[in-house]
Amino acid sequence: MAVFVAGADDGEEDETPDAGKDVESKSLPSDVAASTVAKIIDTSRIYGDLYRTLQLSPQFSAMQRDLLGLGKIVSDIQKAIPSSVTAYVAGLRSMDQLAGRQRLQYLQATTALSDAIVGSRTLAAWRMSLQIENVMGEIVKGPAFTMPTPWASESFRKALGGTVHRQVYMTDWLAQIDTGRGLLSEASSRPLSEYREYVGGLGDNPTRFELDSSLHTGLGVNGLLGADALSSPTVLDDAELEVEVADRVEDLLTPQQAGRLDAFEDLRRVMTGVDAKVVEMLEGGWHVVREAPPAAAEMAAQCAVEAIDRAIRAAAPDSEVEQWLPTSGRPKKEWHSESGRLTRSVRIRYIMRGYKDEAKMTCTVADNLIALQMQTTSRAQAIKHASAGDLQLARCLLSTAEHILTMLFVVERN
């Protein structure tokens, strides 16, 4: 399999954008107040421990404390729920600059706290991305890449690091501008959470299969993040915001596209033996992006989903899957849809049988690609021209579909 090289982006740090100055105050819904208070207590302990540790450092002067406002951060979290989502984000970023990237426990706690705040999916997506980057940063410095192996190349290391780094950069920016507007939904937050759990369980010396799975899942999740943000009602109702989000998605996807052609050749070769029309569907989707007709996203989304459906039907025919299901351990409620057909989920699990965690992750990414495709189709009638957001949404959905297919058919499982 060709190594996916993410263009010139080498995963090194970019400058993190500043938090917005216009702050919209948000109150916490009463039905989650009790659980939130408990999370704040737990989080404040970690904040307090970190703060005390930092105070002992000779490099951490009183002036630095005042500039970062760390004392106030600890005090505010111990006393009450933050009244401003943006101020909360800015406070977390200040702590990240000193300790967050090296403290997985701290990131986990602040993610849990973010889950209970208005606009939580966007905030939580940012924290989850930081957790993934934290773990992946240790992996690419560990035995998997320090021991001499033919596949553990520098380009592969940069592809892994760059994929996660761009994910962090995108979610960081979305968290700043969200202020409770709900720019991300479950369509991206659920796959991101699944991806975080997978990466977090890899251990110090993952196999090539696990790292290939991490790379292509990460690239697929990046596509879902971009598509989800561009599908937000807030973005669709604001032409200026749509252009701004589309520009950020361009930054997210363009480095991935640099290595796409080599990876696509692997996919083309394998699909010839499964269903040759799968490649035709994908190429048709990219033709739509180039031609930019009205409702380009709807047309590209249909190509993406049809490519996946054709591939899994060919690789997991009804007769074989029906014979496998009684011994598969899958609950019967998952076997068939309401129409009586085998579900995508069981076909994918049949193709990836023996690889439970990777199959679950792939199913989650595929399910949410389908959800975004349905969402795109439902609004297509209102689109009179292909906007920048519409075209970037099409790119996101096609890119995610290709990485799902790569996970299913190209990544070597030995």
Side-chain angles (χ1 to χ4, degrees), residues 18 46 50 58 68 70 93 158 176 187 225 235 258 268 300 307 337:
D18 295 330
I46 295 177
L50 287 170
L68 292 172
L70 297 181
R93 188 174 294 106
K158 288 184 176 181
Q176 292 175 59
L225 282 167
V235 173
R268 181 195 300 274
S337 64

Side-chain angles (χ1 to χ4, degrees), residues 238-387:
D238 186 332
E240 291 185 4
L241 181 60
E242 181 183 15
V243 171
E244 194 173 1
V245 174
D247 285 345
R248 294 284 175 160
V249 173
E250 174 78 17
D251 294 340
L252 181 71
L253 292 183
T254 297
Q256 299 183 187
Q257 292 294 307
R260 175 186 165 267
L261 292 180
D262 286 342
F264 191 72
E265 284 306 308
D266 282 342
L267 187 59
R268 181 195 300 274
R269 172 179 49 79
V270 174
M271 286 296 103
T272 300
V274 179
D275 184 339
K277 287 191 175 294
V278 170
V279 173
E280 292 180 16
M281 297 301 302
L282 294 172
E283 289 179 332
W286 289 111
H287 178 74
V288 166
V289 174
R290 290 190 295 271
E291 295 297 312
E298 178 201 18
M299 297 168 67
Q302 289 173 346
C303 289
V305 173
E306 180 61 22
I308 292 171
D309 281 345
R310 289 190 70 97
I312 63 176
R313 284 197 300 266
D318 289 11
S319 58
E320 293 182 15
V321 178
E322 294 284 7
Q323 186 177 359
W324 168 76
L325 278 172
T327 60
S328 68
R330 304 308 307 170
K332 284 192 175 182
K333 62 181 181 180
E334 293 182 6
W335 293 8
H336 301 95
S337 64
E338 292 181 359
S339 64
R341 297 179 178 178
L342 290 170
T343 63
R344 289 186 185 92
S345 176
V346 297
R347 289 189 196 274
I348 289 173
R349 284 184 162 87
Y350 173 77
I351 294 168
M352 299 190 74
R353 57 195 181 277
Y355 298 91
K356 180 180 178 181
D357 292 341
E358 290 79 13
K360 180 182 178 183
M361 192 164 57
T362 304
C363 283
T364 302
V365 175
D367 287 346
N368 287 282
L369 173 66
I370 306 302
L372 286 167
Q373 181 258 342
M374 295 173 64
Q375 194 172 312
T376 302
T377 300
S378 68
R379 70 178 178 86
Q381 297 303 317
I383 298 175
K384 303 302 180 185
H385 66 282
S387 66

